[in-house]
Amino acid sequence: MASDSIAVVDLDRCQPDRCNYECKNFCPPNRTGKECITLRGEDTREGDPDQIHISEEICLGETCGICVEKCPFDAIEIINLPQELQDDPAHRYGENAFSLYGLPVPQEGQVTGILGPNGIGKTTAVRILAGELVPNLGQHETEPDWDDALDAYRGTELQDYIASVRDGDVTVARKPQYVDQIPGQFDGNTRELLEQTDERGDLDYLIDRLSIRPVMDQNIDNLSGGELQRVAITACLAREADFYFLDEITPYLDIGQRVTVARLIQELAEEGDKSMLVVEHDLAILDLLADNLHVAYGEPGAYGVITSPKSVRNGINEYLAGYLDNENMRIRPEAIEFEQHAPRPVSSADTLVEYPDLSMSYGEGEFSLDVEGGEVRENEVLGIVGPNGIGKSTFAQMLTGDLQPDEGDVDFALDISYKPQYIEIDQPMRVDAFLSSITDQFGSSYWNTEIAQPLQLERIMEQNLNDLSGGERQRVAIAACLSEDADIYLLDEPSAHLDVEQRVQATRAIRRYAESQDATVLVIDHDIYMIDLLADRLMVFDGEPAERGRAGKPQDMRSGMNDFLANLEITFRRDERVGRPRINKPGSQLDSEQKDKGEYYYAP
């Protein structure tokens, strides 16, 4: 194989007990007597049939690809690396295993962002920067050494940092990606968890800024996703460390909470002179939060490349364009585009269903919700926005019939396909079996093109539901919702745990399904990019979270977004180059001018 190619075998997918070693038997070098694809023997799990190993020196590379085509479980990838990758990888886990090229550069007093798909090596990079993993510089056969790593990065921006890591002078605080796993790792209440982390003496300040005092004496098991997220962020920022790593700070948080978290991270970086590294898929928040940005690209699970730092604006715009200027690298065949001017005109489609004024209360002194009567139209995507704890999911459950309002009738006699906010599909069955039980269209050309491919389901079809990651479960749940035969498709926070690419693909899948099937779709989400790309009209919720909520009638996007953002005192503008929504810096000249004009969504 050429030196700029790698072979990757996914051992979790390689299932020799269910195949006839087609890859080995059809491999051209093997058929000429060479040992290109061989069996791992002692490296295989005890009692299991031998899994395969590919010799990268003998393999013919991507131009052949026969083994890739013959493998019935999609376990093999043969990849030609970009010619621009002249250096050795920072780390490789072994032959036929994942390789990471490049490392992010933490900067004291600054927030460094990383933007890229899941499975691209961000966690590997953080483990190296935290001193948990010694980079082997691609020499996986030998024991790695920090002195070798220091020599490799001598003369670069990472030299001093690597030296500090080698000498054990770097302390790390970390916020995990999947906060819903916290209850399984900690048994107790919120106060007990957080008091263990109060190393800087700022715990009370963080608790109040993130509004978690009401849940301080609640058991961790009883917290919602948004509460768990804020508790996890508080626990991370309360620690005394040199290097803070926060992996996805926005899932389950509303836009106001996201902005508050962004400001807290910036304050700690600037006032505490700390190095902050943030992985985030909400581009509006990443844009507001970061001082500089690394773009990560490659083939998830096979190899990843982390670029040199870029300005945040240029990094996000290049990522959306699919072309990295300095690297002369195309990372996506087509650009992600946003509407440059006014949103889509309000549809004049016929009314699908009207609903009356609705009211519901959970008891005296507890939460109450009032919904102004309105209508949902045929063949529209209706966005639903508002703070957490304001009644959006309650409204969704009224529509599905899972909750009955105290006043008003929502017996629509309509079939509603519902994807809930919190996904519980821990069933001991495979993804393909689960989806085929939902629709007789499973596996059809239309279903594969419009649902499976955009949601990137091909590689997880044979996995069990209870083995999926949070992002994989989300994509399966979206597919399951869209696969049902229904009058209304209702999706509650479909963006959670999806990376930028997956959000765009999910948005396109939802939008195209609505258009091609003349379907009506309701989407509840906090990602402004997703709502901006997806919705025809908007339904805005406001009030006092956890106390009372109010929902107005659906309205056109511009009016709705102005109402929504005015409540939060946040203004957006459009990027001049690509038209994406960007949050104005609070108190900036543009922020003040737009507020004076009452144009919170963007200046016309």
Side-chain angles (χ1 to χ4, degrees):
M1 178 186 287
S3 61
D4 58 353
S5 299
I6 59 172
V8 180
V9 179
D10 186 338
L11 297 181
D12 289 331
R13 301 181 64 82
C14 180
Q15 302 180 49
D17 56 331
R18 297 176 56 201
C19 76
N20 295 310
Y21 291 115
E22 288 89 345
C23 58
K24 179 175 177 289
N25 294 330
F26 284 92
C27 171
N30 277 31
R31 298 182 78 171
T32 62
K34 297 178 181 179
E35 293 189 343
C36 179
I37 300 182
T38 56
L39 305 184
R40 288 179 176 259
E42 68 274 6
D43 294 333
T44 301
R45 292 177 292 246
E46 185 176 354
D48 289 346
D50 289 348
Q51 294 178 302
I52 64 148
H53 169 277
I54 301 176
S55 169
E56 293 183 342
E57 289 75 21
I58 300 175
C59 179
L60 300 177
E62 196 172 356
T63 54
C64 170
I66 290 177
C67 59
V68 177
E69 295 297 324
K70 293 294 183 180
C71 176
F73 306 111
D74 222 7
I76 301 173
E77 289 187 85
I78 308 295
I79 299 167
N80 288 339
L81 296 174
Q83 294 181 354
E84 289 77 4
L85 289 181
Q86 301 295 333
D87 298 331
D88 291 328
H91 191 79
R92 190 171 192 190
Y93 284 96
E95 193 166 15
N96 302 161
F98 180 84
S99 300
L100 174 67
Y101 294 81
L103 289 172
V105 183
Q107 300 281 354
E108 285 188 11
Q110 293 192 0
V111 181
T112 299
I114 302 182
L115 172 59
N118 293 325
I120 210 75
K122 298 185 291 289
T123 300
T124 297
V126 170
R127 290 188 63 206
I128 292 172
L129 295 178
E132 299 172 3
L133 178 68
V134 183
N136 61 23
L137 310 176
Q139 306 303 312
H140 51 81
E141 305 91 349
T142 59
E143 187 72 22
D145 184 89
W146 278 113
D147 288 331
D148 293 337
L150 184 58
D151 288 341
Y153 288 97
R154 196 174 301 279
T156 72
E157 294 179 282
L158 272 170
Q159 177 182 337
D160 291 342
Y161 188 88
I162 292 289
S164 297
V165 173
R166 179 197 62 179
D167 298 337
D169 294 335
V170 173
T171 55
V172 179
R174 182 183 300 181
K175 188 210 80 75
Q177 179 180 15
Y178 297 117
V179 296
D180 51 358
Q181 296 177 359
I182 293 174
Q185 300 166 356
F186 180 83
D187 185 18
N189 65 28
T190 304
R191 187 181 305 278
E192 292 168 342
L193 187 153
L194 290 180
E195 286 180 348
Q196 298 176 13
T197 69
D198 187 17
E199 298 171 354
R200 297 192 302 109
D202 271 355
L203 183 59
D204 280 341
Y205 173 73
L206 293 169
I207 287 170
D208 289 334
R209 283 288 300 274
L210 290 172
S211 303
I212 55 176
R213 196 165 295 281
V215 301
M216 287 296 288
D217 294 313
Q218 288 189 24
N219 194 285
I220 289 292
D221 288 339
N222 298 329
L223 300 189
S224 69
E227 290 163 345
L228 277 172
Q229 186 70 269
R230 284 176 284 153
V231 167
I233 291 167
T234 300
C236 178
L237 298 184
R239 292 195 177 278
E240 179 62 60
D242 304 302
F243 173 48
Y244 293 78
F245 171 63
L246 297 103
D247 196 348
E248 291 194 37
I249 59 174
T250 61
Y252 308 123
L253 299 188
D254 63 48
I255 183 67
Q257 293 167 338
R258 295 177 184 199
V259 171
T260 297
V261 170
R263 290 171 180 167
L264 282 172
I265 293 171
Q266 287 175 317
E267 288 172 11
L268 182 55
E270 295 169 3
E271 298 170 10
D273 206 26
K274 305 294 188 181
S275 298
M276 319 293 289
L277 186 65
V278 179
V279 174
E280 183 49 56
H281 302 301
D282 183 327
L283 296 184
I285 294 300
L286 187 61
D287 190 15
L288 176 70
L289 172 70
D291 297 299
N292 57 79
L293 182 70
H294 295 269
V295 175
Y297 67 94
E299 292 286 341
Y303 79 96
V305 183
I306 296 178
T307 68
S308 299
K310 301 172 180 285
S311 73
V312 179
R313 179 175 183 266
N314 286 344
I316 292 177
N317 284 352
E318 288 177 18
Y319 186 83
L320 292 173
Y323 179 77
L324 305 179
D325 290 342
N326 291 342
E327 292 76 14
N328 189 27
M329 173 63 59
R330 178 154 294 283
I331 61 173
R332 191 186 313 103
E334 58 185 24
I336 298 170
E337 296 180 346
F338 293 83
E339 295 172 354
Q340 298 291 325
H341 302 294
R344 284 181 291 271
V346 177
S347 169
S348 59
D350 294 337
T351 296
L352 174 66
V353 65
E354 293 186 18
Y355 55 89
D357 292 349
L358 303 171
S359 294
M360 182 170 181
S361 174
Y362 283 94
E364 187 174 349
E366 296 187 31
F367 180 76
S368 62
L369 173 64
D370 294 304
V371 179
E372 185 178 357
E375 87 286 342
V376 178
R377 296 173 179 169
E378 294 180 355
N379 191 25
E380 78 166 341
V381 179
L382 178 62
I384 300 176
V385 296
N388 278 332
I390 210 73
K392 301 185 302 299
S393 295
T394 297
F395 175 66
Q397 290 174 306
M398 286 183 189
L399 296 182
T400 62
D402 293 333
L403 289 175
Q404 294 299 320
D406 300 326
E407 298 180 19
D409 184 11
V410 288
D411 185 11
F412 296 154
L414 295 175
D415 291 326
I416 298 178
S417 179
Y418 179 44
K419 187 206 80 69
Q421 181 180 15
Y422 303 116
I423 301 166
E424 297 180 2
I425 51 173
D426 291 334
Q427 302 179 39
M429 65 187 303
R430 289 185 359 175
V431 172
D432 51 4
F434 171 67
L435 292 173
S436 64
S437 70
I438 292 172
T439 176
D440 56 10
Q441 293 293 310
F442 177 81
S444 68
S445 176
Y446 170 82
W447 192 88
N448 285 333
T449 301
E450 299 298 327
I451 294 179
Q453 291 176 12
L455 293 173
Q456 301 173 354
L457 299 180
E458 297 91 336
R459 289 185 60 81
I460 62 173
M461 281 294 188
E462 296 189 348
Q463 291 184 234
N464 287 326
L465 292 169
N466 51 9
D467 292 332
L468 300 181
S469 70
E472 290 167 342
R473 291 185 189 194
Q474 187 72 263
R475 281 147 43 206
V476 170
I478 294 170
C481 178
L482 296 181
S483 295
E484 293 192 20
D485 187 13
D487 300 300
I488 294 177
Y489 297 84
L490 177 51
L491 298 101
D492 196 344
E493 202 160 343
S495 72
H497 297 309
L498 300 186
D499 63 38
V500 175
E501 297 277 344
Q502 292 164 349
R503 290 183 190 200
V504 170
Q505 293 289 355
T507 298
R508 287 177 176 168
I510 295 167
R511 183 77 213 177
R512 287 182 62 173
Y513 187 85
E515 293 174 348
S516 65
Q517 300 298 302
D518 292 332
T520 297
V521 181
L522 278 61
V523 177
I524 302 170
D525 212 281
H526 298 297
D527 188 310
I528 297 297
Y529 279 52
M530 175 171 267
I531 292 294
D532 189 67
L533 285 166
L534 193 56
D536 296 309
R537 294 193 301 156
L538 209 60
M539 186 175 180
V540 179
F541 283 67
D542 59 21
E544 290 293 329
E547 294 182 16
R548 63 183 183 279
R550 190 196 72 85
K553 294 181 178 181
Q555 54 187 311
D556 67 89
M557 277 289 289
R558 185 163 177 179
S559 300
M561 288 299 289
N562 270 328
D563 286 351
F564 172 50
L565 297 174
N567 291 332
L568 299 169
E569 297 187 344
I570 297 170
T571 61
F572 275 79
R573 68 188 185 279
R574 293 277 183 180
D575 184 86
E576 295 177 358
R577 180 176 164 190
V578 298
R580 64 183 171 90
R582 303 182 68 191
I583 299 176
N584 291 319
K585 300 286 184 184
S588 67
Q589 181 179 347
L590 192 54
D591 180 60
S592 299
E593 289 176 356
Q594 287 186 216
K595 285 177 179 175
D596 289 342
K597 294 178 181 177
E599 294 288 355
Y600 287 79
Y601 186 27
Y602 64 89

